[in-house]
Amino acid sequence: MMQRRLLLVVAAIALAGADACAKKKPPVARPTTPPPAAASSNPGSRPPSPPEPVREPEPIPAEPIASDPLSSTDIDSINRNSPFHPVFYAYDQAEIDAAGQQALNGNAELMKKYSTWIVTIEGHSDERGTAEYNLALGERRAVAARNYLVSLGIPAERLRTVTYGKEFPFEPGHDEGSWSKNRRAQFVVTSK
Amino acid sequence: MHMRLLTTAAVAACATLALSAQDPAQPPPPPRQPSAITVTISGAPGLPPKYAVPDFIALTSDPETVAAARVVGQVLWDDLNFEREFYLIPRDTYKTIPRAASVDEVPLDQWKQLGADGLVIGTVRRTAAGVAVQVRLIDVATGKTAMAKEYSGSLKSLGNPRLYAHTASDEIHEQQRSLRGVARTKLAFSSDRDGERIKGPVADRAISNIYISDYDGANQQRITVTRSLDIAPAWSPDVKSIAYTSYRTNFPDIIVQYIYEARAYTKPASGSSAKQNFLPAWSPDGSKLAFMSQRDGNPEIYVVNKDGSGLRRLTNHPENDVTPTWSPTGTQIAFTSNRTGTPQIWIMNADGSEARKITSESWCDRPTWSPSPFNEIAYASRTGPGFDIKIFDFQNRDTKVVTDGIGSNESPAFSPNGRHLAFTSTRTGKEQVFLIDRDGKNLRQITRSGMNRYPNWSQ
């Protein structure tokens, strides 16, 4: 085992060396006459010809891999079209289900890619519970999402939590269709 | 707002009949006779005394005084009606009785014919210093004066004559029924009525600020002006400040604001983004605040002195502990916890020991401990799709429902005499603040504009 690894290393060095040798071979240099020193040949007698107009550079087509609109977008615009997936919860629950885990896995990837972003996780509830208890429930939801992201390797100091209880519903309706969207953890970039 | 009412002088002829009419600034002379000689007006056996409160008499003819005289009479009628100690004879039946020109020329026979046991008459007049309001309560059967008072205030007080009526009502309740009235108390609540919005991450969000009003909903006034969420106000027992939860620094923290003074607000719970604080509740002596915080990882109940010292954690459980309220003696705290699976009402000693559950329903929240002599906790309980206000009585361990199942009814707050509750209800659409008596009668809507939440009732 040990020997085999050693052998591989030796082979790698040999290959690298061969490559270096190939590069070392210099091209054959041919002596050429030096260009005339333009400034000293006709001092002061004639104004230098105006510089050639610079041609406009050909636009380089954007490479899809290199472009990153999010890096250059302001925080408000990022949040308006948030790249983060909200996490939704069951009634009076703060546990993260499979769909929630999937959303958080994606959010963790984003946070790893944009490693300077500080994200606030907002915990919200639907309108059915009482206003006071929902503040605690929203807190639990935000913390559950944060803990999951931390378990995926996101530093806790990049994650803040805040609960709004039922103060800021996402959908205004009064049925399960709206309630299920309002029981959520929402991710907001607060600094980048 | 800063109107001062002074009980300046008793009407001399009645001073011996109405002890409380003596100037409080002067110590009473040593009693030679029984000191508390009062006329108590009674009704027919088994019935509450019937009171009539006609418009007050404007003794000066300027329009402000005339308008104030009308307002004082109407508001005093409403105030006296509110406690249900008296039967208030409807005002539209007074038309046939000629208006008195002064408090000394009252057609008592006609009031007797109308069935009145007690008659409250009064005057409003401009004086060199401002305004003077005279109030006299007459026992119609005997013609004796049961109470005679004169209040005076600055000219500015004519702009809010309701306070004269509120003061007279409280004094009549005190003198005739030994009852602490609530006519001069105030409500606080949060409201988004001004339609101001802040930029939210996806859509703009409606903000709420703190508002106050008289107990009857008059004089609603915004007292915080932040572009954030200010919620869950709590009047300090001395009614000088309001503690509330504010998101103005992007995380919730407790602010104590001295609303009548040019004085910086304080943050006794010293919040930060890692130490967020919610739902303050004053201890009965005003020295401490109980509140909820997530500073140790999940929602727990804490207590801190008003000056920010002496922070102590009271609960220690992995589930949610929320919404503290103090017992009238300050020795116990009730709160909401879901440690048995659903939110229920719990009580514990004020040091956090001996926590025990007192409700077993589907969802209970926002306990509010009654003032003494009642020994009760009001709370919101899920009774269907929405909530109703219930009262748990420690004496006989029984629970009664106060509201009627219409809409969702939440966030109860007792009046300082324990006879009424403020709460929110969706019965008319958006959440609004309502009042109701402890027996479920006399529902009264206080707010109508925007969404109004988290009512609290001052001492």
Side-chain angles (χ1 to χ4, degrees):
Chain A
M1 186 70 184
M2 195 68 185
Q3 278 180 346
R4 182 136 43 110
R5 190 172 285 174
L6 204 68
L7 235 139
L8 274 169
V9 170
V10 170
I13 291 170
L15 272 168
D19 191 44
C21 286
K23 272 189 183 151
K24 258 182 209 163
K25 212 174 263 179
V28 182
R30 299 229 171 108
T32 52
T33 48
S40 59
S41 60
N42 286 318
S45 66
R46 207 172 61 182
S49 53
E52 289 269 310
V54 181
R55 278 187 60 191
E56 274 191 35
E58 295 270 324
I60 302 160
E63 283 180 61
I65 292 165
S67 89
D68 186 355
L70 281 184
S71 304
S72 53
T73 310
D74 66 282
I75 287 177
D76 286 347
S77 305
I78 292 173
N79 288 328
R80 292 270 154 169
N81 300 293
S82 181
F84 290 102
H85 300 290
V87 175
F88 298 104
Y89 299 84
Y91 174 66
D92 192 24
Q93 293 300 317
E95 272 79 55
I96 290 162
D97 60 13
Q101 290 183 5
Q102 205 181 344
L104 288 171
N105 291 341
N107 292 350
E109 290 309 311
L110 263 175
M111 290 205 67
K112 284 175 182 162
K113 182 170 173 190
Y114 301 102
S115 57
T116 58
W117 287 7
I118 308 280
V119 168
T120 297
I121 308 173
E122 298 179 348
H124 299 270
S125 66
D126 67 29
E127 64 178 0
R128 286 178 299 167
T130 39
E132 294 84 359
Y133 181 78
N134 275 336
L135 287 170
L137 190 54
E139 173 67 26
R140 294 294 289 252
R141 287 175 174 160
V143 166
R146 181 189 64 188
N147 290 348
Y148 189 84
L149 288 176
V150 169
S151 78
L152 296 178
I154 308 299
E157 55 271 21
R158 292 181 55 205
L159 299 164
R160 303 200 172 125
T161 58
V162 67
T163 173
Y164 289 111
K166 63 176 176 182
E167 297 293 333
F168 295 138
F170 188 68
E171 291 284 337
H174 307 290
D175 50 27
E176 179 54 26
S178 294
W179 295 330
S180 61
K181 291 192 182 72
N182 291 336
R183 297 189 297 264
R184 69 199 192 276
Q186 204 172 326
F187 297 77
V188 182
V189 180
T190 42
S191 127
K192 54 177 273 194
Chain B
M1 234 30 255
H2 301 272
M3 189 201 304
R4 275 178 49 206
L5 284 177
L6 297 173
T7 306
T8 48
V11 177
C14 313
T16 51
L17 289 174
L19 174 79
S20 58
Q22 288 178 354
D23 189 335
Q26 293 185 3
R32 283 165 298 177
Q33 293 177 338
S35 59
I37 303 168
T38 56
V39 174
T40 301
I41 297 167
S42 52
L47 291 174
K50 291 182 178 175
Y51 273 45
V53 189
D55 283 354
F56 275 34
I57 303 156
L59 294 181
T60 44
S61 59
D62 55 296
E64 292 85 7
T65 304
V66 171
R70 202 162 43 237
V71 168
V72 173
Q74 177 65 57
V75 173
L76 183 51
W77 192 98
D78 292 341
D79 287 347
L80 291 173
N81 195 40
F82 189 70
E83 297 292 351
R84 293 162 55 193
E85 289 291 323
F86 314 115
Y87 172 81
L88 270 293
I89 300 173
R91 305 190 91 224
D92 55 10
T93 62
Y94 307 167
K95 286 189 194 106
T96 54
I97 300 173
R99 296 181 61 143
S102 80
V103 289
D104 298 314
E105 304 159 41
V106 181
L108 275 183
D109 288 348
Q110 295 189 48
W111 287 108
K112 200 180 283 180
Q113 260 179 9
L114 192 68
D117 300 306
L119 174 68
V120 185
I121 50 165
T123 61
V124 181
R125 71 177 192 278
R126 288 275 276 269
T127 62
V131 58
V133 175
Q134 205 179 358
V135 181
R136 194 176 287 187
L137 171 61
I138 299 170
D139 182 355
V140 175
T142 64
K144 282 185 179 167
T145 297
M147 194 187 92
K149 291 270 176 168
E150 185 166 310
Y151 309 104
S152 67
S154 69
L155 201 55
K156 233 174 76 182
S157 70
L158 264 185
N160 183 20
R162 309 177 71 90
L163 189 47
Y164 290 104
H166 294 333
T167 308
S169 171
D170 283 351
E171 296 208 29
I172 290 171
H173 277 124
E174 175 64 41
Q175 195 227 31
Q176 289 292 307
R177 314 299 286 185
S178 298
L179 170 71
R180 200 206 142 166
V182 296
R184 281 174 293 181
T185 60
K186 304 241 177 225
L187 303 172
F189 47 89
S190 70
S191 178
D192 68 357
R193 63 183 61 188
D194 287 317
E196 293 170 20
R197 300 180 84 79
I198 40 165
K199 195 185 283 179
V202 178
D204 289 350
R205 292 168 165 176
I207 61 164
S208 287
N209 273 206
I210 307 294
Y211 291 71
I212 61 172
S213 77
D214 296 352
Y215 87 102
D216 56 6
N219 295 321
Q220 299 194 14
Q221 188 187 352
R222 181 174 176 174
I223 58 147
T224 69
V225 186
T226 61
R227 299 198 58 77
S228 81
L229 207 52
D230 289 344
I231 55 172
W235 287 99
S236 60
D238 63 7
V239 204
K240 287 180 176 169
S241 62
I242 291 181
Y244 57 93
T245 308
S246 178
Y247 285 70
R248 65 186 62 180
T249 44
N250 293 323
F251 55 83
D253 196 8
I254 289 161
I255 283 179
V256 175
Q257 186 170 323
Y258 295 84
I259 60 171
Y260 300 119
E261 299 166 57
R263 183 168 157 187
Y265 61 71
T266 61
K267 295 179 171 184
S270 309
S272 66
S273 68
K275 295 179 179 175
Q276 303 178 8
N277 309 299
F278 309 79
L279 303 173
W282 292 97
S283 60
D285 65 0
S287 68
K288 293 187 276 290
L289 286 157
F291 60 99
M292 169 189 120
S293 177
Q294 46 60 280
R295 58 183 66 205
D296 292 312
N298 77 310
E300 303 280 3
I301 308 290
Y302 297 77
V303 66
V304 70
N305 295 331
K306 190 170 88 168
D307 63 5
S309 66
L311 178 91
R312 206 145 49 93
R313 177 175 174 177
L314 298 185
T315 59
N316 192 345
H317 194 280
E319 293 299 337
N320 304 326
D321 297 324
V322 207
T323 330
T325 175
W326 298 77
S327 69
T329 52
T331 55
Q332 287 178 302
I333 288 174
F335 60 104
T336 303
S337 179
N338 68 331
R339 48 183 82 177
T340 54
T342 53
Q344 301 295 339
I345 309 301
W346 290 64
I347 56 171
M348 62 184 170
N349 297 335
D351 62 1
S353 63
E354 292 182 47
R356 55 210 180 273
K357 187 164 72 77
I358 62 165
T359 61
S360 297
E361 303 175 38
S362 77
W363 181 315
C364 301
D365 191 23
R366 176 60 197 271
T368 176
W369 216 307
S370 68
S372 54
F374 303 108
N375 192 15
E376 298 170 335
I377 286 179
Y379 58 98
S381 170
R382 177 180 290 287
T383 49
F387 289 75
D388 273 305
I389 306 301
K390 290 187 179 178
I391 293 178
F392 173 83
D393 184 352
F394 284 96
Q395 187 81 39
N396 48 23
R397 318 283 305 174
D398 93 9
T399 300
K400 59 177 187 281
V401 189
V402 177
T403 52
D404 50 13
I406 300 174
S408 192
N409 306 289
E410 293 184 32
S411 301
F414 270 110
S415 68
N417 66 8
R419 295 159 70 105
H420 320 275
L421 291 152
F423 65 103
T424 64
S425 180
T426 59
R427 61 187 59 224
T428 56
K430 284 184 181 178
E431 273 169 281
Q432 301 296 351
V433 174
F434 287 78
L435 307 185
I436 199 166
D437 287 356
R438 57 198 310 286
D439 60 3
K441 291 181 181 157
N442 285 351
L443 181 74
R444 177 197 283 234
Q445 185 166 355
I446 295 297
T447 62
R448 293 169 200 279
S449 169
M451 180 156 59
N452 299 276
R453 278 183 181 154
Y454 304 103
N456 182 263
W457 206 318
S458 81
Q459 286 297 306

